[in-house]
Amino acid sequence: MDFTGSSCGGSEHRQIEENKPLLGEMCATGGSKMGAVPCRRSLLHFSGMRYKLLQEGDIQVCAIRHPRTFLSKILTSKFLRRWEPHHLTLADNSLTSATPTGYMENSISYSAIEDVQLLSWENAPKYCLQLTIPGGTVLLQAANSYLRDQWFHSLQWKKKIYKYKKVLSNPNRWEVVLKEIRTLVDMALSSPLQDDSIHQAPLEIISKLLSENINLTTQEHESIIVAIAPLLENNHPPPDLCEFFCKHCRERPRSMVVIEVFTPVVQRILKHNMDFGKCPRLRLFTQEYILALNELNAGMEVVKKFIYSMHGPTANCPHPRVLPNVVAVCLAAIYSCYEEFINSRDNSPSLKEIRNGCQQQCDRKPNIPLRLLHTNPDLVSQEVTSTESRHKSVVVTSNEILVEVERNNTVNQKLKANTGNDSEPNLIDCLLICPACSTISIELSPQADRVLACYVEILKMLSDYDDWRPALAILLQPIPFPKEALAHETFTKELKHVIQRFAEDPRQEVHSCLLSVRAGKDGWFQLYSPGGVACDDDGELFASMVHILMGSCYKTKKFLLSLAENKLGPCMLLALRGNQTMVEILCLMLEYNIIENNDTQLQIISTLESTDVGKRMYEQLCDRQRELKELQRKGGPTRLTLPSKSTDADLARLLSSGSFGNLENLSLAFTNVTSACAEQLIKLPSLKQLNLWSTQFGDAGLRVLSEHLTTLQVLNLCETPVSDAGLLALSSMKSLCNLNMNSTKLSADTYEDLKAKLPNLKEVDVRYTEAW
């Protein structure tokens, strides 16, 4: 089924190349053979002039009826022919005119066209092609040779596609059908037409054929898949075809077709797909393909090789869509593991009920088809006896899921104060109040366990790639998992590796995603902190998260205040066990006066003095406090200028050597100080003017200054590497009246924001910035 070059005025060359599998090394891991079905096909490619598939266009039309008499022969001669202009449309089943009059009063069905050819005899009309129909001929004359050839190939294509739709709509013998499918694929590959529909139309025909004939053998399945494989090289499969592929992956996961044919298809989907929301079956097909790889003998090793093939051997993945698409597939697969329980949630204890005590049976909603069984009557009767101190449990079962919630009576009494609140409680508080008094365990079916293990392992693989980790952290920051997954100990335990990788990454854009995405929401930091639903250790991960956050730009009063309000107990416990990070946290709380209660302060001091490292750091804190009071008492100079090329160490040494309690004007211009010197600058209580011109003082230092030097009036940041991220923090320094941001990375929006929030600002220099 191809076009011959003789009718087109040129020759078409076909190139044959071998379709090699992209994961050839996986073939040895399959563990089964395909039999007689080949996994490689020769691809036919057209080489030559390319044309866009015509859907409509203007052309001259002349119809000639077959002459029956001498008179009719004279009337149809070329000297007496009449040409009509028409705007023709190439519909799915016929050639029609926008003005159905004259020669085109009736549309011409493709089934009625016996032949389409170019006029090539001597003295033939120029740029003309001939349609042979019963009883005559229709001549179409284009404006030039290119348009003529475009009409010719488009008509040929429409005619043949119409024929294949009819032939394959009523299959009788499947060996004949398979031969027709191969011919159809070869026709699409060898067509000179260049249009998305050229490859999509055959795929849709085959997709419809498969949806209407579901009782095919495995051999027929694989033969059809191999036949259409060349078309899938540069095209996404239609939805019905995705369903067919999913079925094959589930029923024949060890088939070599899965590796050799599906691998390039899935790789193309992950590299180019932009929205799984519009194409959910593409996501489902990718999900089933990965599960099929996991069923091979090598299991997760094969999946790991596939993820590596998607990333590539270089340090940075060249395909930006791969990571979001793989994460989307993982999230959907993990959600599916808990889907039955989620669908049954209408008739099961909600998170609010778990916190406040389950409803009585009479308050339950009517049973739905997919539901949880009723609670055990014995357990319900036990709830009446509130004076007993033993644990009570509510058992909720589904076909494949068992959820057990254990409550201590004293905890229930403590929570009664919140029963009047109709709003949904905080996620973490709702799932788990304290590990000692509340546990939630979810048991999945063996199949769901395998799916969960596979896709959590893929998330762990993704977190091991340095270039993918920042984007992965951003995608997971909102905690895009169902509540049932967060209540599942197996899931949170396996996901801990991913959170640990975030906590170990020194890049701020990674470890900052441990915190909540916005105020009032819980983040991974809360989930894996002591008392959180996912915490299964003694606080080691919590300590590492605090350490990395404190080591970057989170050494602020706001962060310390949140720890003091929510995690002071765990911090003190870890400090008591000698954790240096927690000892430093407690010392900073004392130094910045975070803790107002005297009893709590004394308890923190006792905790610090109970360990050697705590005692040493507390003594250093006391020394600093005494030195600060001495500086304030003695006074000192009011103006100070450091020599050029001075460093952070030089500044620290200078400020520790004398009394600078009265220092109001400090110039560090053209020195080598960095953001680290902010720790020394905040010890100058009387500082009003600070010159940082042409230093390496950056955003992190500005954040520290903005929290402590609230009385600063003049600040020179000319030619420093500060950006919007740090400059926005200056909005809290209400006393600023003179600000120099010349030659910085200031944006116009940030400048407008600062002007609105700094009422005393009178003099501003923004030359050589975006706001200039």
Side-chain angles (χ1 to χ4, degrees), residues 670-706:
F670 305 104
T671 63
N672 294 331
V673 297
T674 66
S675 296
C677 75
E679 295 296 326
Q680 304 298 326
L681 297 178
I682 62 177
K683 298 175 183 178
L684 303 173
S686 302
L687 191 64
K688 295 181 179 179
Q689 300 180 29
L690 179 60
N691 188 351
L692 296 168
W693 188 1
S694 191
T695 64
Q696 294 302 310
F697 197 88
D699 294 336
L702 281 184
R703 293 191 185 95
V704 177
L705 294 184
S706 65

Side-chain angles (χ1 to χ4, degrees), residues 307 310-311 317 322-323 462 465-473:
I307 297 297
M310 296 306 305
H311 179 275
C317 177
V322 168
L323 178 67
L462 298 179
Y465 288 94
D466 289 340
D467 61 316
W468 276 349
R469 202 174 299 131
L472 179 64

